[in-house]
Amino acid sequence: MAEYSSKEDMMALIQKLRHYEYCYYVLDQPEVSDSTYDGLYQTLLAIEAAHPDWVQPDSPSQRVGGAVAEGFETVVHQVPLLSLANAFSEEDLYTFDSQVRRSLGKDRVAYSVEYKIDGLSMALTYRDGLLVMGATRGNGQIGEVVTDNIKTIKSVPLRLNEPVGQLVVRGEVYLPKKDFLALNDKRQAADLPLFANARNAAAGSVRQLDPKVAAARPLALRFYDILASSASFSSQAEVLAAIRSWGLRPVEAYHCEGIEAVCQAVQKITADRDQIPYDIDGIVVKVDNLADRSALSVRAKTPRWAIAYKFPAEQQETRITAITTQV
Ligand code: NAD
Protein backbone atom coordinates (compact mmCIF):
# COMPACT_ATOMS: atom_id res chain seq x y z
CA MET A 1 0.00 0.00 0.00
CA ALA A 2 3.07 2.25 0.36
CA GLU A 3 2.81 3.41 -3.27
CA TYR A 4 -0.71 4.74 -2.55
CA SER A 5 0.16 6.93 0.40
CA SER A 6 -1.49 10.17 -0.71
CA LYS A 7 -5.06 11.09 -1.56
CA GLU A 8 -3.96 11.92 -5.13
CA ASP A 9 -2.61 8.37 -5.48
CA MET A 10 -5.93 7.01 -4.25
CA MET A 11 -7.82 9.16 -6.79
CA ALA A 12 -5.55 7.78 -9.55
CA LEU A 13 -6.31 4.25 -8.35
CA ILE A 14 -10.05 5.03 -8.47
CA GLN A 15 -9.69 6.28 -12.06
CA LYS A 16 -7.92 3.06 -13.00
CA LEU A 17 -10.62 0.90 -11.37
CA ARG A 18 -13.37 2.92 -13.07
CA HIS A 19 -11.74 2.38 -16.44
CA TYR A 20 -11.49 -1.40 -15.82
CA GLU A 21 -15.14 -1.46 -14.65
CA TYR A 22 -16.27 0.34 -17.81
CA CYS A 23 -14.44 -2.20 -20.01
CA TYR A 24 -15.86 -5.12 -17.99
CA TYR A 25 -19.44 -4.07 -17.26
CA VAL A 26 -20.31 -1.82 -20.21
CA LEU A 27 -18.16 -3.06 -23.09
CA ASP A 28 -17.98 -6.72 -21.90
CA GLN A 29 -14.27 -6.60 -22.86
CA PRO A 30 -12.09 -6.76 -19.73
CA GLU A 31 -8.59 -5.30 -20.05
CA VAL A 32 -7.22 -7.15 -17.00
CA SER A 33 -7.93 -10.44 -15.22
CA ASP A 34 -10.43 -10.54 -12.35
CA SER A 35 -7.64 -11.25 -9.87
CA THR A 36 -5.74 -8.13 -11.00
CA TYR A 37 -8.93 -6.08 -10.59
CA ASP A 38 -9.65 -7.73 -7.21
CA GLY A 39 -6.10 -6.95 -5.98
CA LEU A 40 -6.46 -3.24 -6.86
CA TYR A 41 -9.95 -3.13 -5.37
CA GLN A 42 -8.71 -4.65 -2.07
CA THR A 43 -5.95 -2.00 -2.02
CA LEU A 44 -8.61 0.70 -2.37
CA LEU A 45 -10.59 -0.85 0.52
CA ALA A 46 -7.43 -0.87 2.68
CA ILE A 47 -6.71 2.82 1.88
CA GLU A 48 -10.32 3.78 2.66
CA ALA A 49 -10.20 1.82 5.93
CA ALA A 50 -7.00 3.69 6.91
CA HIS A 51 -8.40 7.09 5.81
CA PRO A 52 -12.21 7.10 6.21
CA ASP A 53 -12.30 10.85 5.50
CA TRP A 54 -10.88 10.21 1.99
CA VAL A 55 -13.82 7.99 0.95
CA GLN A 56 -15.51 9.44 -2.16
CA PRO A 57 -19.31 9.08 -2.44
CA ASP A 58 -18.86 7.66 -5.96
CA SER A 59 -15.92 5.40 -5.07
CA PRO A 60 -16.09 1.88 -6.60
CA SER A 61 -16.49 0.67 -2.98
CA GLN A 62 -19.79 2.58 -2.69
CA ARG A 63 -21.55 1.35 -5.79
CA VAL A 64 -22.66 -1.93 -7.35
CA GLY A 65 -21.79 -3.10 -10.86
CA GLY A 66 -21.47 -0.74 -13.79
CA ALA A 67 -23.33 1.87 -15.76
CA VAL A 68 -26.41 1.02 -17.77
CA ALA A 69 -25.54 0.79 -21.48
CA GLU A 70 -27.20 3.13 -23.96
CA GLY A 71 -29.98 1.89 -26.22
CA PHE A 72 -31.80 -0.25 -23.64
CA GLU A 73 -35.07 0.46 -21.95
CA THR A 74 -34.34 0.63 -18.19
CA VAL A 75 -36.18 -0.44 -15.06
CA VAL A 76 -35.81 0.53 -11.41
CA HIS A 77 -35.41 -2.74 -9.49
CA GLN A 78 -38.13 -3.32 -6.88
CA VAL A 79 -35.42 -4.71 -4.59
CA PRO A 80 -31.77 -3.62 -5.23
CA LEU A 81 -29.56 -6.33 -6.69
CA LEU A 82 -26.61 -6.16 -4.29
CA SER A 83 -23.03 -7.37 -4.64
CA LEU A 84 -21.16 -9.65 -2.21
CA ALA A 85 -18.22 -9.08 0.14
CA ASN A 86 -15.24 -11.28 -0.74
CA ALA A 87 -13.23 -13.92 1.13
CA PHE A 88 -9.88 -15.12 -0.18
CA SER A 89 -8.98 -17.84 2.36
CA GLU A 90 -10.46 -20.28 4.90
CA GLU A 91 -9.32 -17.82 7.55
CA ASP A 92 -11.59 -15.15 5.99
CA LEU A 93 -14.48 -17.65 6.09
CA TYR A 94 -13.86 -18.34 9.80
CA THR A 95 -13.81 -14.57 10.45
CA PHE A 96 -17.12 -14.20 8.56
CA ASP A 97 -18.65 -17.06 10.60
CA SER A 98 -17.52 -15.61 13.93
CA GLN A 99 -18.98 -12.18 13.02
CA VAL A 100 -22.28 -13.83 12.04
CA ARG A 101 -22.41 -15.96 15.22
CA ARG A 102 -21.51 -12.99 17.43
CA SER A 103 -24.23 -10.82 15.86
CA LEU A 104 -26.85 -13.56 16.15
CA GLY A 105 -25.68 -14.80 19.57
CA LYS A 106 -25.51 -18.39 18.25
CA ASP A 107 -22.88 -21.11 18.75
CA ARG A 108 -23.45 -22.65 15.33
CA VAL A 109 -25.06 -21.42 12.13
CA ALA A 110 -26.28 -23.40 9.10
CA TYR A 111 -25.15 -22.16 5.67
CA SER A 112 -26.04 -22.69 2.04
CA VAL A 113 -22.79 -23.16 0.11
CA GLU A 114 -23.37 -22.48 -3.59
CA TYR A 115 -21.51 -22.39 -6.86
CA LYS A 116 -20.69 -18.79 -7.73
CA ILE A 117 -21.51 -18.88 -11.42
CA ASP A 118 -19.32 -16.53 -13.45
CA GLY A 119 -22.02 -14.86 -15.53
CA LEU A 120 -24.31 -11.86 -15.46
CA SER A 121 -26.81 -11.27 -12.66
CA MET A 122 -30.45 -11.00 -13.77
CA ALA A 123 -33.87 -10.38 -12.22
CA LEU A 124 -36.83 -12.12 -13.86
CA THR A 125 -40.39 -11.09 -13.09
CA TYR A 126 -43.29 -13.53 -13.41
CA ARG A 127 -46.88 -12.33 -13.04
CA ASP A 128 -49.52 -15.00 -12.42
CA GLY A 129 -46.95 -17.52 -13.64
CA LEU A 130 -46.13 -15.71 -16.89
CA LEU A 131 -42.67 -14.28 -17.65
CA VAL A 132 -43.17 -10.54 -18.09
CA MET A 133 -39.69 -9.08 -17.66
CA GLY A 134 -36.00 -9.94 -17.63
CA ALA A 135 -33.59 -7.21 -16.50
CA THR A 136 -29.84 -7.10 -15.90
CA ARG A 137 -28.44 -6.05 -12.51
CA GLY A 138 -27.07 -2.85 -14.12
CA ASN A 139 -25.89 -0.61 -11.29
CA GLY A 140 -27.89 -2.58 -8.74
CA GLN A 141 -30.72 -0.02 -8.64
CA ILE A 142 -31.44 0.39 -12.36
CA GLY A 143 -31.18 -2.47 -14.83
CA GLU A 144 -31.40 -2.91 -18.60
CA VAL A 145 -34.59 -4.56 -19.86
CA VAL A 146 -33.62 -7.59 -21.96
CA THR A 147 -36.89 -9.58 -21.83
CA ASP A 148 -36.85 -10.62 -25.52
CA ASN A 149 -33.30 -11.97 -25.15
CA ILE A 150 -34.19 -13.91 -21.99
CA LYS A 151 -37.16 -15.46 -23.79
CA THR A 152 -34.73 -17.05 -26.27
CA ILE A 153 -33.17 -19.15 -23.46
CA LYS A 154 -34.67 -22.63 -23.82
CA SER A 155 -34.32 -23.62 -20.14
CA VAL A 156 -36.22 -20.53 -18.94
CA PRO A 157 -39.95 -21.32 -18.82
CA LEU A 158 -42.22 -18.65 -20.25
CA ARG A 159 -44.87 -19.98 -17.84
CA LEU A 160 -44.16 -21.46 -14.39
CA ASN A 161 -45.44 -24.90 -13.34
CA GLU A 162 -47.63 -23.21 -10.73
CA PRO A 163 -48.89 -19.63 -10.95
CA VAL A 164 -47.41 -17.42 -8.22
CA GLY A 165 -49.07 -13.97 -8.01
CA GLN A 166 -46.02 -11.75 -8.29
CA LEU A 167 -42.56 -13.27 -8.36
CA VAL A 168 -39.15 -11.69 -8.87
CA VAL A 169 -36.34 -14.25 -9.00
CA ARG A 170 -32.62 -13.54 -9.23
CA GLY A 171 -30.19 -15.72 -11.13
CA GLU A 172 -27.10 -15.79 -13.25
CA VAL A 173 -27.07 -16.06 -17.04
CA TYR A 174 -24.04 -17.90 -18.40
CA LEU A 175 -22.63 -19.75 -21.38
CA PRO A 176 -21.52 -23.38 -20.77
CA LYS A 177 -17.78 -23.97 -21.36
CA LYS A 178 -18.21 -26.12 -24.48
CA ASP A 179 -20.61 -23.63 -26.07
CA PHE A 180 -18.23 -20.77 -25.33
CA LEU A 181 -15.34 -22.60 -27.04
CA ALA A 182 -17.55 -23.46 -30.05
CA LEU A 183 -18.72 -19.83 -30.28
CA ASN A 184 -15.14 -18.54 -30.30
CA ASP A 185 -14.16 -21.17 -32.91
CA LYS A 186 -16.96 -19.91 -35.14
CA ARG A 187 -15.93 -16.29 -34.58
CA GLN A 188 -12.31 -17.12 -35.41
CA ALA A 189 -13.39 -18.82 -38.65
CA ALA A 190 -15.46 -15.70 -39.50
CA ASP A 191 -12.53 -13.37 -38.61
CA LEU A 192 -14.53 -11.79 -35.78
CA PRO A 193 -12.92 -10.65 -32.48
CA LEU A 194 -12.84 -13.42 -29.85
CA PHE A 195 -14.49 -13.15 -26.41
CA ALA A 196 -11.98 -13.05 -23.54
CA ASN A 197 -13.95 -15.59 -21.48
CA ALA A 198 -17.35 -17.27 -21.13
CA ARG A 199 -18.59 -14.59 -18.71
CA ASN A 200 -18.03 -11.80 -21.19
CA ALA A 201 -19.50 -13.85 -24.03
CA ALA A 202 -22.67 -14.44 -21.95
CA ALA A 203 -22.92 -10.81 -20.82
CA GLY A 204 -22.33 -9.59 -24.40
CA SER A 205 -24.95 -12.00 -25.72
CA VAL A 206 -27.73 -11.13 -23.30
CA ARG A 207 -27.07 -7.38 -23.64
CA GLN A 208 -27.81 -7.35 -27.37
CA LEU A 209 -30.32 -4.99 -28.88
CA ASP A 210 -31.17 -7.64 -31.49
CA PRO A 211 -32.78 -10.77 -29.89
CA LYS A 212 -31.77 -12.84 -32.96
CA VAL A 213 -28.13 -12.54 -31.84
CA ALA A 214 -29.01 -13.74 -28.33
CA ALA A 215 -31.13 -16.57 -29.81
CA ALA A 216 -28.09 -17.85 -31.71
CA ARG A 217 -26.06 -18.18 -28.48
CA PRO A 218 -26.88 -21.18 -26.25
CA LEU A 219 -27.28 -19.22 -23.00
CA ALA A 220 -28.37 -20.85 -19.74
CA LEU A 221 -29.74 -19.43 -16.46
CA ARG A 222 -29.67 -20.71 -12.90
CA PHE A 223 -31.48 -19.08 -10.00
CA TYR A 224 -30.48 -18.52 -6.37
CA ASP A 225 -32.72 -15.90 -4.80
CA ILE A 226 -36.32 -14.74 -4.54
CA LEU A 227 -36.43 -10.95 -4.41
CA ALA A 228 -40.21 -10.62 -4.15
CA SER A 229 -42.99 -13.16 -3.88
CA SER A 230 -46.50 -13.61 -2.56
CA ALA A 231 -45.30 -16.92 -1.01
CA SER A 232 -43.07 -16.84 2.09
CA PHE A 233 -40.06 -18.97 2.99
CA SER A 234 -38.01 -19.58 6.10
CA SER A 235 -34.71 -20.84 4.67
CA GLN A 236 -32.51 -20.78 1.57
CA ALA A 237 -33.10 -24.55 1.26
CA GLU A 238 -36.85 -23.82 0.91
CA VAL A 239 -36.13 -21.02 -1.59
CA LEU A 240 -34.09 -23.34 -3.81
CA ALA A 241 -36.74 -26.10 -3.53
CA ALA A 242 -39.48 -23.62 -4.56
CA ILE A 243 -37.39 -22.42 -7.51
CA ARG A 244 -37.08 -26.05 -8.66
CA SER A 245 -40.80 -26.77 -8.15
CA TRP A 246 -41.76 -23.77 -10.32
CA GLY A 247 -39.74 -25.26 -13.19
CA LEU A 248 -36.70 -22.97 -12.89
CA ARG A 249 -33.15 -24.32 -12.54
CA PRO A 250 -31.65 -23.62 -9.12
CA VAL A 251 -27.92 -23.10 -8.51
CA GLU A 252 -25.99 -26.12 -7.14
CA ALA A 253 -25.92 -25.89 -3.33
CA TYR A 254 -24.70 -27.79 -0.25
CA HIS A 255 -26.46 -27.44 3.09
CA CYS A 256 -23.73 -27.15 5.76
CA GLU A 257 -24.15 -27.15 9.54
CA GLY A 258 -21.34 -24.96 10.89
CA ILE A 259 -18.19 -23.46 9.39
CA GLU A 260 -16.16 -26.71 9.45
CA ALA A 261 -18.70 -28.33 7.09
CA VAL A 262 -18.60 -25.15 4.96
CA CYS A 263 -14.81 -25.45 4.56
CA GLN A 264 -15.15 -29.15 3.60
CA ALA A 265 -17.70 -28.22 0.92
CA VAL A 266 -15.43 -25.42 -0.31
CA GLN A 267 -12.54 -27.92 -0.65
CA LYS A 268 -14.75 -30.39 -2.51
CA ILE A 269 -16.13 -27.80 -4.94
CA THR A 270 -12.62 -26.43 -5.55
CA ALA A 271 -11.39 -29.96 -6.38
CA ASP A 272 -14.40 -30.61 -8.68
CA ARG A 273 -14.21 -27.24 -10.40
CA ASP A 274 -12.73 -28.40 -13.73
CA GLN A 275 -15.48 -31.04 -14.12
CA ILE A 276 -18.27 -28.45 -13.80
CA PRO A 277 -19.62 -27.77 -17.33
CA TYR A 278 -19.67 -23.98 -16.80
CA ASP A 279 -17.29 -21.48 -15.19
CA ILE A 280 -17.53 -20.69 -11.53
CA ASP A 281 -15.32 -17.93 -10.12
CA GLY A 282 -15.87 -18.79 -6.49
CA ILE A 283 -18.25 -20.19 -3.90
CA VAL A 284 -20.98 -18.23 -2.15
CA VAL A 285 -21.58 -18.93 1.56
CA LYS A 286 -25.00 -17.73 2.77
CA VAL A 287 -26.74 -17.88 6.14
CA ASP A 288 -29.54 -20.41 5.53
CA ASN A 289 -32.15 -19.05 7.94
CA LEU A 290 -34.01 -16.09 6.43
CA ALA A 291 -35.06 -14.59 9.80
CA ASP A 292 -31.36 -14.57 10.77
CA ARG A 293 -30.60 -12.78 7.49
CA SER A 294 -33.09 -10.02 8.31
CA ALA A 295 -31.49 -9.64 11.74
CA LEU A 296 -28.03 -9.35 10.17
CA SER A 297 -29.27 -6.86 7.51
CA VAL A 298 -27.31 -5.32 4.64
CA ARG A 299 -24.53 -2.74 4.20
CA ALA A 300 -24.56 -0.12 1.40
CA LYS A 301 -23.71 -2.62 -1.32
CA THR A 302 -23.32 -6.04 0.29
CA PRO A 303 -25.39 -8.16 2.70
CA ARG A 304 -23.86 -9.12 6.08
CA TRP A 305 -25.32 -12.62 5.74
CA ALA A 306 -23.30 -13.81 2.76
CA ILE A 307 -19.75 -13.86 1.48
CA ALA A 308 -18.17 -14.84 -1.84
CA TYR A 309 -15.08 -17.01 -1.50
CA LYS A 310 -12.90 -16.26 -4.55
CA PHE A 311 -10.53 -18.89 -5.93
CA PRO A 312 -6.82 -18.18 -5.46
CA ALA A 313 -5.30 -15.93 -8.14
CA GLU A 314 -2.78 -18.47 -9.58
CA GLN A 315 -5.61 -20.88 -10.31
CA GLN A 316 -7.63 -18.19 -12.02
CA GLU A 317 -4.70 -16.92 -14.08
CA THR A 318 -3.96 -20.50 -15.20
CA ARG A 319 -7.58 -20.94 -16.27
CA ILE A 320 -7.55 -17.70 -18.29
CA THR A 321 -4.32 -18.72 -20.02
CA ALA A 322 -5.72 -22.19 -20.74
CA ILE A 323 -8.85 -20.77 -22.34
CA THR A 324 -6.89 -18.20 -24.32
CA THR A 325 -4.61 -20.85 -25.78
CA GLN A 326 -7.53 -23.05 -26.75
CA VAL A 327 -9.29 -20.39 -28.87
P1 NAD B 1 -18.90 -10.46 -7.11
O1 NAD B 1 -18.63 -11.12 -8.43
O2 NAD B 1 -17.79 -10.43 -6.17
O3 NAD B 1 -20.17 -11.20 -6.40
C1 NAD B 1 -21.53 -10.94 -6.60
C2 NAD B 1 -22.13 -11.62 -7.79
O4 NAD B 1 -22.03 -13.04 -7.71
C3 NAD B 1 -23.62 -11.40 -7.87
O5 NAD B 1 -23.90 -10.18 -8.50
C4 NAD B 1 -24.09 -12.54 -8.71
O6 NAD B 1 -24.13 -12.09 -10.04
C5 NAD B 1 -22.99 -13.56 -8.62
N1 NAD B 1 -23.41 -14.90 -8.20
C6 NAD B 1 -23.13 -16.04 -8.89
N2 NAD B 1 -23.62 -17.11 -8.25
C7 NAD B 1 -24.25 -16.65 -7.13
C8 NAD B 1 -24.95 -17.30 -6.07
N3 NAD B 1 -25.06 -18.63 -6.01
N4 NAD B 1 -25.47 -16.52 -5.10
C9 NAD B 1 -25.33 -15.16 -5.12
N5 NAD B 1 -24.65 -14.49 -6.11
C10 NAD B 1 -24.12 -15.24 -7.09
O7 NAD B 1 -19.38 -9.01 -7.28
P2 NAD B 1 -19.79 -8.20 -8.55
O8 NAD B 1 -20.16 -6.88 -8.02
O9 NAD B 1 -20.78 -8.93 -9.40
O10 NAD B 1 -18.49 -8.10 -9.44
C11 NAD B 1 -17.29 -7.74 -8.95
C12 NAD B 1 -16.31 -8.70 -9.55
O11 NAD B 1 -16.34 -8.58 -10.97
C13 NAD B 1 -14.90 -8.40 -9.13
O12 NAD B 1 -14.58 -8.99 -7.92
C14 NAD B 1 -14.12 -8.94 -10.31
O13 NAD B 1 -13.86 -10.30 -10.10
C15 NAD B 1 -15.05 -8.74 -11.46
N6 NAD B 1 -14.64 -7.54 -12.21
C16 NAD B 1 -13.62 -7.69 -13.06
C17 NAD B 1 -13.16 -6.61 -13.77
C18 NAD B 1 -12.02 -6.81 -14.73
O14 NAD B 1 -11.57 -5.83 -15.33
N7 NAD B 1 -11.54 -8.04 -14.92
C19 NAD B 1 -13.74 -5.33 -13.59
C20 NAD B 1 -14.80 -5.21 -12.71
C21 NAD B 1 -15.24 -6.32 -12.01
Side-chain angles (χ1 to χ4, degrees):
M1 208 178 97
E3 58 182 302
Y4 295 105
S5 51
S6 72
K7 192 169 173 186
E8 288 67 37
D9 289 342
M10 183 193 75
M11 296 306 287
L13 175 61
I14 287 178
Q15 283 310 324
K16 199 184 240 187
L17 284 165
R18 279 207 192 113
H19 172 71
Y20 291 152
E21 288 179 354
Y22 177 75
C23 296
Y24 181 88
Y25 289 117
V26 181
L27 304 181
D28 297 317
Q29 285 168 350
E31 272 190 10
V32 291
S33 70
D34 288 356
S35 52
T36 301
Y37 173 88
D38 287 343
L40 292 171
Y41 183 75
Q42 292 301 317
T43 304
L44 175 65
L45 293 187
I47 297 171
E48 290 182 342
H51 304 279
D53 52 318
W54 290 3
V55 177
Q56 305 296 301
D58 58 348
S59 160
S61 66
Q62 307 299 304
R63 53 193 284 266
V64 170
V68 170
E70 274 174 34
F72 288 95
E73 193 191 323
T74 57
V75 62
V76 176
H77 293 300
Q78 228 176 304
V79 177
L81 271 65
L82 298 177
S83 185
L84 293 169
N86 290 166
F88 296 96
S89 62
E90 279 199 2
E91 198 186 336
D92 290 347
L93 291 176
Y94 272 91
T95 305
F96 165 71
D97 173 63
S98 54
Q99 285 163 351
V100 165
R101 285 188 295 102
R102 196 177 327 115
S103 300
L104 296 174
K106 290 189 172 179
D107 291 339
R108 179 179 283 264
V109 169
Y111 294 99
S112 181
V113 176
E114 304 174 359
Y115 287 4
K116 183 174 183 307
I117 303 174
D118 196 5
L120 185 71
S121 197
M122 304 286 312
L124 267 59
T125 306
Y126 284 87
R127 203 166 295 138
D128 296 326
L130 201 67
L131 176 63
V132 291
M133 191 170 62
T136 65
R137 181 177 68 166
N139 64 13
Q141 307 283 342
I142 299 174
E144 300 144 326
V145 176
V146 289
T147 315
D148 290 341
N149 295 347
I150 292 301
K151 284 184 176 171
T152 68
I153 304 177
K154 303 270 188 306
S155 62
V156 172
L158 300 182
R159 184 176 285 284
L160 299 177
N161 289 340
E162 311 157 24
V164 190
Q166 167 85 351
L167 175 72
V168 186
V169 269
R170 180 172 176 179
E172 197 84 355
V173 67
Y174 63 95
L175 201 55
K177 287 174 185 168
K178 70 170 179 23
D179 296 309
F180 160 66
L181 293 174
L183 174 65
N184 257 354
D185 280 348
K186 263 199 217 157
R187 290 177 72 85
Q188 192 165 35
D191 243 353
L192 290 168
L194 302 185
F195 288 111
N197 53 46
R199 187 262 169 209
N200 295 102
S205 304
V206 86
R207 295 163 76 246
Q208 283 286 337
L209 293 170
D210 180 0
K212 280 197 225 90
V213 179
R217 311 260 171 91
L219 294 164
L221 233 169
R222 284 179 188 259
F223 297 88
Y224 47 77
D225 204 0
I226 296 174
L227 301 177
S229 160
S230 29
S232 61
F233 306 94
S234 60
S235 67
Q236 176 72 358
E238 282 182 14
V239 164
L240 296 177
I243 285 172
R244 188 183 294 283
S245 75
W246 290 325
L248 301 165
R249 277 167 127 183
V251 74
E252 294 289 335
Y254 291 76
H255 181 86
C256 297
E257 294 287 338
I259 192 65
E260 295 77 12
V262 167
C263 289
Q264 279 168 14
V266 165
Q267 283 165 17
K268 175 164 170 34
I269 297 169
T270 306
D272 291 349
R273 185 180 175 199
D274 286 347
Q275 272 67 58
I276 300 170
Y278 48 89
D279 282 336
I280 63 170
D281 62 337
I283 296 161
V284 187
V285 179
K286 301 175 181 173
V287 170
D288 185 60
N289 184 297
L290 302 193
D292 285 348
R293 286 190 190 177
S294 301
L296 289 161
S297 78
V298 298
R299 306 179 195 92
K301 77 171 219 178
T302 58
R304 287 195 182 79
W305 46 261
I307 198 155
Y309 168 82
K310 295 272 180 117
F311 292 122
E314 312 78 59
Q315 209 179 341
Q316 189 181 53
E317 296 297 352
T318 313
R319 184 172 58 102
I320 287 168
T321 318
I323 287 175
T324 314
T325 14
Q326 277 175 48
V327 292

